[in-house]
Amino acid sequence: FKYKIKLKPGQDTLQPGKWAFPFTFQLPAQGKKGGKLTGSFNVADKTDVSAHVHFQKLRLVGFKSFLDPVEVQIEDGVTGIVGPNGCGKSNVVEALKWVMGETSAKQMRGGEMDDVIFGGTADRPARNIAEVSLILDNANRNAPAEFNDESELEIVRRIERGSGSNYKINGRDVRARDVQLLFADLATGAHSTA
């Protein structure tokens, strides 16, 4: 996890509270001084907790092994992806990363970005288009101001073989950078552990 914690001058610890998680940071040496900062992190006191939105649904069409439309409901609490080897568990995670703006084909386990498009099987022909949609609950209006008009945000990434990706937020064409910044403002993204 990455957190920015600002301490008041002279403060060297954070006080524990409800939902506290212990931590230890190695402080960089300042001049000849350095050391460790220990304490606990209280989720209730985290200033950007209100900036979070809830992931509601993930829709995939033509993405990797998901030729037919699939909708994954993301319920409150912890969501796990389980199944036998080769069933597409990692493809679901990669779809999340991809719709959040991943630009590296290598991170998608491919040689080029077109490799995320369904490549065909003995029984089913290859496709030329893949699309992933992520629906976020924005009922509390915690998204950045330019996207805060709706109670839901739908982020769509679509790729056509040989033509590259297009992005939309709530039906409006946007740049890849806009999608990446949206998720960065929400304290998550393609490379986030959260």
Side-chain angles (χ1 to χ4, degrees):
F1 296 115
K2 296 178 183 177
Y3 295 107
K4 288 184 179 178
I5 299 176
K6 291 185 179 179
L7 299 177
K8 296 176 183 172
Q11 183 181 6
D12 59 356
T13 62
L14 298 175
Q15 300 303 313
K18 188 176 181 184
W19 303 104
F21 300 94
F23 66 83
T24 301
F25 291 110
Q26 182 69 41
L27 298 176
Q30 297 173 346
K32 294 184 178 180
K33 295 183 178 182
K36 290 185 178 179
L37 171 66
T38 59
S40 63
F41 176 74
N42 187 340
V43 172
D45 292 341
K46 189 171 185 262
T47 57
D48 67 351
V49 166
S50 64
H52 292 194
V53 295
H54 175 72
F55 289 25
Q56 290 183 314
K57 295 177 202 166
L58 180 68
R59 293 187 191 127
L60 305 98
V61 179
F63 184 86
K64 293 205 166 198
S65 59
F66 295 97
L67 170 62
D68 297 320
V70 172
E71 186 172 284
V72 179
Q73 294 287 337
I74 304 171
E75 302 293 336
D76 289 337
V78 176
T79 299
I81 304 168
V82 295
N85 291 344
C87 72
K89 298 180 300 290
S90 58
N91 292 347
V92 173
V93 174
E94 288 173 357
L96 272 172
K97 290 173 66 171
W98 189 70
V99 75
M100 288 193 282
E102 178 60 64
T103 57
S104 169
K106 189 174 182 181
Q107 289 294 317
M108 298 284 103
R109 296 180 298 149
E112 58 182 320
M113 201 51 84
D114 282 358
D115 291 343
V116 302
I117 302 171
F118 179 75
T121 66
D123 301 330
R124 304 187 86 174
R127 295 295 191 254
N128 289 322
I129 295 173
E131 182 175 290
V132 176
S133 303
L134 180 62
I135 290 84
L136 309 175
D137 177 9
N138 189 36
N140 293 333
R141 301 294 197 264
N142 292 324
E146 64 187 295
F147 305 113
N148 224 357
D149 298 336
E150 304 288 333
S151 62
E152 279 189 349
L153 293 176
E154 182 178 24
I155 295 91
V156 178
R157 184 173 181 181
R158 181 181 176 103
I159 187 170
E160 189 171 343
R161 197 173 301 280
S163 297
S165 293
N166 298 351
Y167 294 85
K168 291 183 182 221
I169 298 177
N170 286 354
R172 191 175 86 199
D173 288 326
V174 294
R175 303 170 302 159
R177 187 71 181 143
D178 296 326
V179 171
Q180 293 164 348
L181 288 173
L182 167 68
F183 285 107
D185 287 347
L186 297 173
T188 190
H191 299 283
S192 174
T193 58

